[in-house]
Amino acid sequence: MVCIVLGMSIGHTLLGLLESGPRHGYDLKRAFDERFGHDRPLHYGQVYSTMSRLLKNGLVEVDGMEAGGGPERKRYAITEAGVSDVDQWLAQPEKPEPYLQSTLYTKVVLALLTDRSAADLLDTQRAEHLRLMRILTDRKRRGDLADQLICDHALFHLEADLRWLELTAARLTQLSTEVRA
Amino acid sequence: MTPAGSLLTAQDLHKTYGPTPALDGAFFSIHPGEIVAVMGPSGSGKSTLLHCLAGIVRPDSGTITYDGRELSSMPDAERSSLRRSDFGFVFQFGQLVPELTCVENVALPLRLNGVKRKEAERRAAEWMERLEVDDLGSKRPGEVSGGQGQRVAVARSLVTSPRVLFADEPTGALDSLNGERVMELFTQAARSANAAIVLVTHEARVAAYSDREIVVRDGKSRDLEFTV
């Protein structure tokens, strides 16, 4: 399984993983990495800070403790409040966030303002987008249905970015006039 | 200057239709078995570049070299013969002969090259199987879906074992799922036959099946292989 999920809520994901039964922090990390973290495995620190926050908010409870103490010895179980939190998260649509455009727009405008080639910048970005799209297309070809669906989601988003890059490239002259006005 | 080991190259092509320059300094190269996407907005000169590369249209200036031979100065008859023996074509629309069955359509390029009917249809059936349309042999193009028809057209483009395939928006008339299946089978079949593909498309998802891309803008294209 590949991880293309950007900006994913780690807390909700760990809670969701706990629904199948109590686990130690280490087990949670391993389950997360196996399913979602192929490209970006979690740090232990992230797991323990997330779990202590969930504990504080009453979404998990400590189900048992191995001898020796320390955070890695705690076994966590999801609470009823935790389950309804996961319900809510799954039912809520994600905000369609134009996260990349804002960065690229800033770069294009800065390039125009500083007499650098915005067209080259856009070409470089297009090549980079296509490079990733090739990797995803190849993964999709070799993967199972789950890989195909995850890769497709990323591919459609990258394609949307590319269309924005094309449109911006076609409007550079106009944009240049406006930002320099 | 020509990229080492390339099969087909174009250098500084210019082509004008009336007052409109369609190509205004286009560079291109492709290696044996390579898949190169030609991208760019509508009207940028992508299709004109493909037509020049395939020897269908003669450029006003510039050179096109195929396998060490100068294509742009070749006599018409020789270019036609080269197109039949070494090149294959896939277009967006209307490429199958409606009066012929699908297997006869696929066998057609072989028949035109003088291959006997039985042998031509046997080889056609093999390619249809690879493109997963072997059950459509006796149907006419009007009786099959768009995606199936396009796969029949892909089988036909490969039946003569060409060294270069020219595909102009091959999935342009298909929905995402069918377009994807066509690209999957097309590139897989071409790679197994070591055929190169010049793939004209404005869709990034289609271009993602290529090995690299060349962007045409206002009739100009750069090919980084030329500067290496």
Side-chain angles (χ1 to χ4, degrees), chain A residues 1-9 13 32 35-37 39-40 89 94 150 153-154:
Chain A
M1 178 81 78
V2 292
C3 174
I4 313 295
V5 190
L6 296 171
M8 168 167 52
S9 164
T13 311
F32 183 100
R35 285 187 183 276
F36 310 110
D39 291 332
R40 295 180 174 193
W89 180 56
E94 293 295 312
I150 290 168
H153 186 265

Side-chain angles (χ1 to χ4, degrees), chain A residues 126 134 140-141 159 162, chain B residues 180 184 210 213 217:
Chain A
R126 179 204 297 101
R134 284 194 181 96
K140 208 170 81 167
R141 185 163 32 216
E159 188 182 32
L162 268 168
Chain B
E180 199 164 281
E184 179 76 42
S210 67
E213 75 279 3
R217 203 183 295 280

Side-chain angles (χ1 to χ4, degrees), chain B residues 39-86:
Chain B
M39 301 184 74
S42 304
S44 58
K46 303 188 295 284
S47 293
T48 304
L49 176 59
L50 180 136
H51 291 151
C52 287
L53 289 168
I56 298 169
V57 164
R58 222 186 264 275
D60 298 336
S61 66
T63 55
I64 301 166
T65 314
Y66 171 70
D67 201 17
R69 286 180 282 171
E70 176 55 55
L71 197 69
S72 26
S73 59
M74 210 180 259
D76 284 349
E78 203 179 329
R79 277 193 301 158
S80 296
S81 146
L82 182 71
R83 277 203 301 273
R84 278 208 305 274
S85 62
D86 284 35

